[in-house]
C-alpha cells in the first residue's frame, strides 16, 4: 500500500535528527521553558484544587512521554499501556498495605515486574505490525485489567483498595504542595532524559525504525533489540507513574489498567503530537483538563469529548504541537 | 457430562454468530479502506436500541426492526462521509482515534437520548426452550444462527455474482487497479461503511432478546468482533465467520470449564497465543512486506 514511498520516508525522517545541531543548547530551550513554567506555577497557583489538577497532568505527562518514545518515535502502537500503569499502582497498593513493604521498595518491585513482563512479551508482540500489533497490545492490557478485577483477595476487586501515603527516605510526601515539587522535578528529569535519548545514536536508530524497519535493518540497526528495549523502558516508566498515582490519590481501582485508560493515553500522545516530547506534555494537559471543563455540559460530556477527538484528528492529524510549530515556522520540540 | 458440553456449545455458537457478524463488519471496512473501525460495536448497540425504542413507541416489531436497520445503515454512511473521508490519508493510529471518537459520540448521544437503563426486545418466536439430548436451546438462538447463515449466504452471492459486490472485492484487492478500470472507489468506501453498519445492526437486533441491550454494550461486543476478525485473518468472509464462532465457543467453554470470572479474558488469551505463533491469524494468507 504505502510501502513504495517508505524508503524515502525513512530517509526524510532521519535527516533532521542526523544533522549536527547548530547550537548544543538549542534542544534544551524547551526544557528551560518547562522548568520555568513549573517554577512559576508553584508561585501563582491559588489553591490546592489547582495544584491537584497540575499534579495529575504531570503524572500523565510522564507516562505519555514514555509512550510517545514507543509510538511517535519508534512507530509501534500500544493500545494496552494502562496495563503497566495498573501493575505499578497495584504493586504499590498491595505490597505496602498488605505486606508492610516500604513504599519505595514496593514501587521498585512494581517497576521490575512491569519490566520483566514487558521483556517477555516484547519479542513476539513487536514482531507484529499495524492492526495485529494494536490487537495484541489491546489484549495484553485487557487481560491485566481483568486479572486485577478478579483477584479480589489481593486487589479488593472492582471496588478498589486504599493506598497508604508515599514515604521516600524518611520523607513522608503529604499535601498537594509537596507532591507538586516531587512530580514537577520528576517530569523535568523525564523530559531531559527523553530529549537526550532522541538525539543519541540509539534515538536516531529508533526514528529510522519508524521510517522503514527494513531499510534501517539493511543499514545495520538491530531493530528487534531496540524495539524490545524501548518497549520495556516505556513499560517501566508507566509502572512508576502508576505507583505515584496510586500513592497520590490514596486509592486505586482496576479502571487504572482498563482499555479506556489505555485509549486515553494514546489520545494524549496523538493530540499533543506524535514524535514531539513537548507535544506529549501539552496533550496530557489538554486531556486532563478537558473532563474538568466538560463537567459543565451535564450529561453531554461523552458526546462533546468524542466530537473534539474527531475534530482534532481530522483537522490536525499530526497533533497540536507539530501542526502549530509548522504554522508558525518554528521547529517542534 | 455430554449434555453439559452440548449446552456450552449451543450458547457458544449463539454468541459466536453475533461475533461473526461484527467481525464481518470489521473485515469489510478494513479491506476496502484499511481502517479498523472501533465504532463497529456502536452499530450493534444502535440496532438493538433503536428497535427497542420504536417497539415501545407502538411500532410493530417487524417494521421497528426494518427501520432500525435502515437508520443504522444511514448512520454508517454519514459517519464515513463526515468523519472518515476527510481523514483518509491519516496514519493508522490517527484513524483508530477518530473511530473511537465516533464511537464515544454515538454512545453519548444514545445515553443522553435514551438514558442508561437496559432495554429488551421480545423473542421473535416464543421463549419455550427446545430440548436436544439433555441440553436446552432457546428458539431465539435458532433465529440468531439462521439469520447469520442467511446473511453469510447473501453476502457470498453479493460478492461473487453482482457487479457492485465484485467492484467492492476488486477495491479491496487493489485500490489503484480498481480505479484504473473505472470503479468509483470513493463510493465503494462509503458503501462498505453502510453495509458494515447494517450487518452490525442485524447482529444487535437478533441478539437483543437474549442478552438485553443498553447504551454501553457496544464496547465489549465491538472489541470482541475485532478479536474475531483478527483471529480469522481479516481477509475474507470465511475467516471472519469462523473466527466469530471459534471465539464464541472458546468463551463459552472457558466460562463453563475453567472460570466464569475469567470468561472475558479467554478471547484475548486466545488471540495473543495465536498471534504469537501465526501473526497473520488462523485463516489469513501469509503476506510479505514490499519495500
Amino acid at each position: 500500500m504505502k510501502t513504495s514511498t517508505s524508503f524515502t520516508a525513512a530517509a526524510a525522517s532521519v535527516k533532521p535528527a542526523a544533522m549536527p545541531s547548530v547550537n548544543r543548547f538549542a534542544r534544551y530551550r524547551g526544557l528551560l521553558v518547562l522548568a520555568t513554567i513549573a517554577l512559576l506555577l508553584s508561585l501563582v497557583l491559588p489553591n490546592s484544587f489547582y495544584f491537584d489538577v497540575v499534579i495529575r497532568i504531570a503524572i500523565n505527562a510522564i507516562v505519555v512521554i514514555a509512550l510517545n518514545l514507543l509510538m511517535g518515535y519508534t512507530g509501534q502502537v500500544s493500545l494496552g499501556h494502562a496495563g503497566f500503569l495498573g501493575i505499578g499502582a497495584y504493586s504499590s497498593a498491595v505490597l505496602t498495605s498488605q505486606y508492610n513493604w516500604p513504599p519505595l521498595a514496593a514501587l521498585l518491585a512494581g517497576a521490575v515486574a512491569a519490566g520483566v513482563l514487558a521483556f517477555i512479551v516484547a519479542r513476539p508482540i513487536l514482531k507484529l505490525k499495524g492492526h495485529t500489533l494494536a490487537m495484541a497490545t489491546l489484549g495484553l492490557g485487557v487481560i491485566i485489567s481483568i486479572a486485577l478485577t478478579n483477584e479480589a483477595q489481593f486487589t479488593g476487586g472492582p471496588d478498589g483498595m486504599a493506598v497508604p501515603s508515599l514515604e521516600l527516605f524518611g520523607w513522608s510526601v503529604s499535601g498537594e504542595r509537596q507532591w507538586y515539587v516531587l512530580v514537577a522535578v520528576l517530569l523535568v528529569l523525564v523530559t531531559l532524559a527523553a530529549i537526550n535519548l532522541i538525539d543519541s545514536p540509539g534515538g536516531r536508530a529508533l526514528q529510522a525504525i519508524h521510517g522503514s524497519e527494513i531499510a534501517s535493518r539493511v543499514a545495520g540497526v538491530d531493530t528487534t533489540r531496540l524495539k524490545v528495549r524501548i518497549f520495556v523502558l516505556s513499560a517501566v516508566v508507566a509502572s512508576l507513574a502508576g505507583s505515584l498515582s496510586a500513592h497520590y490519590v490514596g486509592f486505586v481501582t482496576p479502571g487504572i489498567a482498563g482499555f479506556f485508560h489505555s485509549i486515553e493515553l494514546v489520545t494524549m500522545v496523538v493530540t499533543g503530537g506524535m514524535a514531539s516530547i513537548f507535544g506529549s506534555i501539552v496533550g496530557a494537559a489538554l486531556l486532563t483538563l478537558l473532563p474538568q471543563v466538560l463537567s459543565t455540559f451535564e450529561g453531554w460530556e461523552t458526546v462533546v469529548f468524542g466530537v473534539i477527538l474527531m475534530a482534532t484528528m481530522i483537522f490536525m492529524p499530526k497533533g497540536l504541537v507539530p501542526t502549530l510549530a509548522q504554522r508558525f515556522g518554528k521547529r517542534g520540540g | 457430562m455430554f449434555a453439559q458440553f452440548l449446552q456450552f456449545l449451543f450458547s457458544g455458537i449463539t454468541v459466536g454468530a453475533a461475533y461473526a457478524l461484527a467481525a464481518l463488519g470489521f473485515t469489510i471496512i478494513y479491506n476496502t479502506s484499511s481502517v479498523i473501525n472501533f465504532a463497529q460495536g456502536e452499530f450493534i448497540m444502535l440496532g438493538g436500541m433503536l428497535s427497542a425504542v420504536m417497539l415501545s413507541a407502538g411500532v410493530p416489531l417487524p417494521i421497528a426492526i426494518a427501520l432500525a436497520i435502515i437508520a443504522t445503515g444511514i448512520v454508517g454512511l454519514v459517519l464515513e462521509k463526515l468523519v472518515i473521508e476527510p481523514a483518509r490519508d491519516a496514519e493508522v493510529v490517527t484513524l483508530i482515534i477518530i473511530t473511537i471518537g465516533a464511537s464515544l459520540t454515538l454512545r453519548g448521544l444514545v445515553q443522553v437520548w435514551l438514558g442508561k437503563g437496559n432495554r429488551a426486545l421480545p423473542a421473535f418466536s416464543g421463549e419455550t426452550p427446545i430440548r436436544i439430548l439433555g441440553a436446552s436451546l432457546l428458539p431465539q438462538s435458532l433465529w440468531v444462527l439462521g439469520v447469520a447463515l442467511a446473511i453469510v449466504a447473501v453476502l457470498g452471492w453479493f460478492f461473487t455474482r453482482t457487479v457492485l459486490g465484485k467492484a467492492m472485492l476488486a477495491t479491496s484487492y487493489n485500490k489503484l487497479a480498481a480505479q484504473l478500470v473505472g470503479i468509483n472507489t470513493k463510493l465503494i468506501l462509503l458503501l462498505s461503511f453502510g453495509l458494515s453498519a447494517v450487518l452490525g445492526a442485524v447482529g444487535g437486533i437478533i441478539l437483543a432478546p437474549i442478552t438485553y441491550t443498553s447504551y454501553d454494550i457496544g464496547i465489549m461486543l465491538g472489541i470482541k468482533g475485532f478479536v474475531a476478525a483478527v483471529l480469522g485473518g481479516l481477509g475474507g468472509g470465511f475467516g471472519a465467520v469462523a473466527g466469530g464462532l471459534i471465539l464464541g465457543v472458546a468463551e463459552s467453554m472457558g466460562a463453563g470449564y475453567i472460570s466464569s470470572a475469567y470468561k472475558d479474558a479467554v478471547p484475548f488469551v486466545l488471540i495473543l497465543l495465536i498471534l504469537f505463533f501465526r501473526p497473520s491469524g488462523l485463516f489469513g494468507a501469509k503476506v510479505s512486506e514490499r519495500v
Side-chain angles (χ1 to χ4, degrees):
Chain A
M1 282 167 271
K2 290 177 193 160
T3 39
S4 55
T5 56
S6 59
F7 212 99
T8 45
S13 74
V14 174
K15 214 189 289 167
M19 280 194 304
S21 54
V22 187
N23 181 346
R24 281 193 66 79
F25 297 100
R27 69 171 119 132
Y28 297 120
R29 216 186 296 148
L31 190 71
L32 213 65
V33 175
L34 176 70
T36 316
I37 292 175
L39 208 65
L40 282 178
L41 279 179
S42 72
L43 299 175
V44 298
L45 285 180
N47 55 41
S48 56
F49 172 76
Y50 289 93
F51 272 105
D52 174 64
V53 175
V54 178
I55 291 165
R56 285 168 202 266
I57 290 174
I59 295 179
N60 280 332
I62 290 171
V63 190
V64 176
I65 288 174
L67 187 57
N68 206 342
L69 290 177
L70 178 72
M71 281 180 46
Y73 287 97
T74 321
Q76 312 296 313
V77 184
S78 172
L79 298 184
H81 246 61
F84 296 116
L85 232 84
I87 291 179
Y90 273 94
S91 300
S92 284
V94 174
L95 292 176
T96 53
S97 67
Q98 293 179 18
Y99 296 92
N100 289 320
W101 282 40
L104 190 61
L107 177 137
L108 292 175
V112 170
V116 169
L117 176 68
F119 183 75
I120 293 170
V121 296
R123 267 167 200 273
I125 279 190
L126 295 174
K127 239 182 9 195
L128 307 168
K129 292 185 178 60
H131 64 269
T132 45
L133 179 63
M135 175 79 263
T137 48
L138 187 163
L140 183 69
V142 172
I143 292 170
I144 295 174
S145 83
I146 290 176
L148 290 176
T149 312
N150 281 334
E151 296 306 316
Q153 74 271 34
F154 298 111
T155 63
D159 299 333
M161 64 187 292
V163 188
S165 62
L166 181 64
E167 202 175 295
L168 299 167
F169 311 110
W171 171 38
S172 175
V173 191
S174 61
E176 273 80 9
R177 273 158 210 275
Q178 290 189 14
W179 268 100
Y180 179 82
V181 173
L182 178 68
V183 295
V185 169
L186 281 175
L187 177 60
V188 171
L189 288 177
V190 168
T191 310
L192 174 68
I195 292 173
N196 276 325
L197 176 68
I198 290 154
D199 264 354
S200 72
R204 285 196 286 273
L206 289 176
Q207 295 174 57
I209 297 177
H210 191 185
S212 163
E213 190 164 344
I214 294 180
S216 47
R217 211 180 304 156
V218 170
V221 177
D222 187 347
T223 53
T224 312
R225 205 173 76 180
L226 278 175
K227 284 199 290 184
V228 170
R229 277 191 186 173
I230 200 75
F231 188 73
V232 172
L233 177 73
S234 65
V236 169
V237 173
S239 164
L240 292 174
S243 294
L244 285 180
S245 162
H247 280 298
Y248 171 65
V249 179
F251 199 80
V252 59
T253 62
I256 194 172
F259 174 58
F260 271 108
H261 198 195
S262 288
I263 292 300
E264 225 177 333
L265 295 173
V266 170
T267 310
M268 288 176 186
V269 172
V270 181
T271 44
M274 295 266 268
S276 165
I277 297 294
F278 294 102
S280 298
I281 301 173
V282 172
L286 282 179
L287 279 141
T288 314
L289 287 173
L290 201 55
Q292 312 272 350
V293 179
L294 291 186
S295 58
T296 52
F297 283 85
E298 281 166 39
W300 289 83
E301 298 99 333
T302 322
V303 180
V304 180
F305 186 74
V307 171
I308 291 177
L309 219 55
M310 290 190 287
T312 320
M313 288 298 93
I314 291 171
F315 298 114
M316 297 190 218
K318 288 191 188 323
L320 279 169
V321 169
T323 308
L324 294 178
Q326 213 170 28
R327 198 156 293 173
F328 297 107
K330 279 184 186 170
R331 262 172 18 110
Chain B
M1 264 316 280
F2 180 70
Q4 196 187 30
F5 174 79
L6 207 60
Q7 188 68 62
F8 294 149
L9 192 66
F10 285 160
S11 61
I13 291 176
T14 308
V15 185
Y19 292 164
L21 290 183
L24 274 174
F26 266 108
T27 308
I28 289 171
I29 288 183
Y30 180 76
N31 279 336
T32 53
S33 65
S34 318
V35 173
I36 304 164
N37 177 28
F38 272 97
Q40 187 67 32
E42 307 312 318
F43 296 149
I44 302 176
M45 178 273 290
L46 278 177
M49 288 301 272
L50 291 177
S51 334
V53 166
M54 282 187 271
L55 190 71
S56 59
V59 182
L61 186 64
I63 299 174
I65 288 176
L67 288 177
I69 293 174
I70 294 170
T72 311
I74 293 172
V75 170
L77 296 177
V78 171
L79 183 70
E80 201 279 339
K81 202 74 199 161
L82 285 187
V83 180
I84 305 295
E85 208 186 286
R88 228 178 5 227
D89 300 322
E91 280 194 59
V92 178
V93 204
T94 312
L95 282 166
I96 287 181
I97 294 185
I98 289 176
T99 60
I100 287 171
S103 127
L104 287 173
T105 309
L106 289 173
R107 190 184 312 148
L109 285 173
V110 171
Q111 187 201 324
V112 171
W113 178 34
L114 301 172
K116 290 189 175 185
N118 280 339
R119 281 164 194 263
L121 282 182
F124 298 170
S125 49
E127 308 261 1
T128 327
I130 307 160
R131 311 286 303 179
I132 303 169
L133 298 171
S136 65
L137 183 65
L138 285 173
Q140 187 65 28
S141 294
L142 292 177
W143 271 101
V144 173
L145 287 175
V147 171
L149 272 177
I151 283 181
V152 171
V154 170
L155 279 181
W157 169 79
F158 175 71
F159 280 122
T160 52
R161 294 275 183 271
T162 65
V163 175
L164 193 60
K166 285 179 181 174
M168 249 180 177
L169 216 52
T171 309
S172 75
Y173 287 146
N174 189 328
K175 205 169 176 178
L176 193 63
Q179 258 167 357
L180 286 174
V181 296
I183 294 169
N184 183 352
T185 51
K186 250 180 151 178
L187 181 72
I188 296 292
L189 222 76
L190 183 66
L191 289 179
S192 70
F193 269 81
L195 182 60
S196 296
V198 166
L199 289 180
V202 172
I205 291 167
I206 53 179
L207 204 59
I210 300 179
T211 59
Y212 291 106
T213 180
S214 66
Y215 78 103
D216 60 351
I217 58 152
I219 312 165
M220 226 20 178
L221 279 173
I223 293 179
K224 284 181 183 165
F226 180 35
V227 175
V230 175
L231 195 65
L234 270 171
F238 172 75
V241 174
L245 289 177
I246 292 174
L247 196 68
V249 172
E251 198 179 282
S252 164
M253 295 291 168
Y257 289 114
I258 303 169
S259 151
S260 61
Y262 278 96
K263 172 173 96 65
D264 282 333
V266 172
F268 300 102
V269 175
L270 189 70
I271 192 73
L272 274 179
L273 287 177
I274 285 170
L275 286 180
F276 284 177
F277 296 107
R278 275 190 66 96
S280 49
L282 277 184
F283 307 100
K286 197 169 159 42
V287 282
S288 48
E289 190 187 349
R290 270 185 303 169
V291 187

